Amino acid sequence: MQANQIHPLLNHFCKELSVHLESLSKHQTTIDPSEFAELVAAATNEVLELYSSGEFDLNTYRQSTAEEYKELARQSIDSYSLTNDTIGEIAEKHAELLEESTTSGLIDFGKITEKFSDIQTHLSDEVSRANEVIHTLLEQVKTLETKTSLDPLTKVFNRYALQEHLKTVLEKESMDFEMFAFMIDVDDFKNINDRFGHIAGDKVLIFISKLLKKALRDGDRVYRFGGEEFIILLNRTDTEGAQLVAERLLTLCRNNKPLFQNQQIPVTLSIGLTKIIKGDSIDSIIERSDTAFYRAKNNGKDRFEMEF
């Protein structure tokens, strides 16, 4: 592995580990060393698996948000430079103070106290300003990470990518082909977390995302909508074809059980299916697929329903 490949892989590992830790922190305040070691191992395996399978494209990683991160880096350097210059000016004032205090051979306590108080105020103001800049830059980094197209845990597209894609589709005057949206939810996901633990829950989400991607064509897209919910945008098919895809996904999930600590975890899906039509908005598409999805839940789960 080349030296310039280490940084993105290390960064990716840190993101993997932080995702697992964040998920765990919602339910507990401490972690056992053996449990932490298991998290580290899981994050390492995820990164190595992505790298060996070719899913993690280092060139794409470096180029995808390079310019935006460069701009943030430039702002950080500029801010540091300004802070450094300001503190340098304060240091010069400090030196002048010391020089003034020894010119006559006597120390004017009133004057030196006033000067030190003035320097302390300047330093305090500059530290506060620097902290505000750092906070702003951190918020910009968070925003930038939100705008990247992949969900950090499952590696499918995220909600931001879904909104951007649908916005492009709906802005067209006419649709060149029929398009369908699936709202997919992992049945009884809370019970999985309660029974097997939240690390197992994360593993199930990763398993489902991989199953969905492998079952679909290259032109179809999988998005993590939130929590245990996924959305699929299916194109170039008809209603009958969309139904067949839904049935295939249900069967694949039903017949393939993820393993966690040598235990098989039974997983099923509930799917809400709708067709995207002219005049639709993002909200109307989500609302219809949501209605169908809840009908599938109420009718027994492990099934799909349609809403047109």
Side-chain angles (χ1 to χ4, degrees):
M1 187 183 298
Q2 296 178 4
N4 62 356
Q5 294 177 341
I6 294 174
H7 176 265
L9 283 175
L10 179 61
N11 187 56
H12 202 67
F13 164 80
C14 291
K15 284 187 176 182
E16 286 287 342
L17 183 59
S18 67
V19 166
H20 290 301
L21 286 171
E22 184 179 357
S23 176
L24 205 61
S25 68
K26 294 176 182 177
H27 310 278
Q28 60 189 68
T29 56
T30 60
I31 183 170
D32 184 82
S34 62
E35 192 175 11
F36 180 73
E38 189 175 333
L39 287 179
V40 171
T44 303
N45 288 335
E46 283 297 323
V47 172
L48 291 176
E49 184 179 338
L50 283 173
Y51 181 74
S52 61
S53 67
E55 289 185 55
F56 185 71
D57 188 333
L58 290 162
N59 288 326
T60 301
Y61 178 93
R62 284 194 289 269
Q63 296 168 5
S64 59
T65 54
E67 292 305 318
E68 291 176 272
Y69 277 111
K70 281 180 185 177
E71 175 60 22
L72 285 179
R74 186 193 62 76
Q75 292 179 30
S76 301
I77 292 169
D78 289 347
S79 174
Y80 171 80
S81 177
L82 178 59
T83 298
N84 195 44
D85 290 344
T86 304
I87 292 177
E89 292 172 4
I90 294 171
E92 288 180 6
K93 289 182 179 180
H94 185 200
E96 291 172 5
L97 167 61
L98 292 175
E99 188 177 341
E100 289 176 13
S101 67
T102 56
T103 300
S104 63
L106 299 173
I107 297 176
D108 185 334
F109 285 108
K111 185 175 182 181
I112 201 168
T113 301
E114 179 185 344
K115 289 284 187 180
F116 270 116
S117 177
D118 187 43
I119 289 171
Q120 186 177 10
T121 300
H122 284 309
L123 278 172
S124 178
D125 289 345
E126 181 55 29
V127 169
S128 296
R129 187 202 68 79
N131 284 336
E132 287 178 8
V133 171
I134 290 169
H135 176 74
T136 300
L137 290 171
L138 286 174
E139 289 300 314
Q140 289 178 18
V141 168
K142 288 180 182 178
T143 301
L144 184 57
E145 289 178 346
T146 302
K147 288 184 176 181
T148 56
S149 61
L150 293 182
D151 173 63
L153 176 66
T154 62
K155 306 304 178 297
V156 297
F157 292 109
N158 61 14
R159 191 166 182 164
Y160 174 82
L162 170 68
Q163 292 172 332
E164 291 300 301
H165 186 199
L166 281 177
K167 193 185 301 181
T168 302
V169 170
L170 297 174
E171 283 174 353
K172 294 180 179 179
E173 293 185 4
S174 61
M175 297 183 64
D176 301 327
F177 43 79
E178 289 186 289
M179 194 169 186
F180 295 83
F182 292 15
M183 174 71 79
I184 299 174
D185 184 83
V186 180
D187 292 330
D188 302 315
F189 186 70
K190 183 180 183 302
N191 293 340
I192 293 173
N193 279 334
D194 292 343
R195 181 181 173 187
F196 297 97
H198 295 279
I199 297 175
D202 286 347
K203 289 290 185 183
V204 167
L205 294 178
I206 293 168
F207 168 81
I208 293 297
S209 65
K210 289 181 178 179
L211 183 147
L212 296 177
K213 285 194 293 184
K214 289 178 180 177
L216 298 172
R217 302 164 301 177
D218 289 341
D220 303 321
R221 295 193 178 191
V222 183
Y223 304 85
R224 187 180 179 192
F225 190 65
E228 67 271 23
E229 292 182 337
F230 295 85
I231 283 182
I232 289 175
L233 294 184
L234 195 71
N235 57 47
R236 300 182 188 279
T237 189
D238 54 18
T239 302
E240 185 178 355
Q243 291 175 302
L244 289 173
V245 170
E247 286 286 7
R248 184 166 75 248
L249 294 178
L250 292 172
T251 302
L252 280 170
C253 189
R254 198 180 298 131
N255 295 338
N256 292 274
K257 298 178 178 63
L259 277 173
F260 180 72
Q261 295 180 344
N262 296 322
Q263 296 184 78
Q264 284 192 329
I265 303 177
V267 181
T268 60
L269 306 175
S270 291
I271 301 176
L273 169 61
T274 192
K275 182 180 178 180
I276 299 174
I277 57 176
K278 184 174 174 57
D280 256 333
S281 65
I282 295 176
D283 288 342
S284 65
I285 294 168
I286 300 301
E287 184 179 356
R288 286 201 309 277
S289 59
D290 224 25
T291 300
F293 145 73
Y294 277 111
R295 193 183 306 130
K297 286 285 187 189
N298 294 331
N299 287 340
K301 306 174 185 177
D302 190 19
R303 58 184 291 123
F304 78 90
E305 295 286 349
M306 297 186 294
E307 181 74 17
F308 291 96

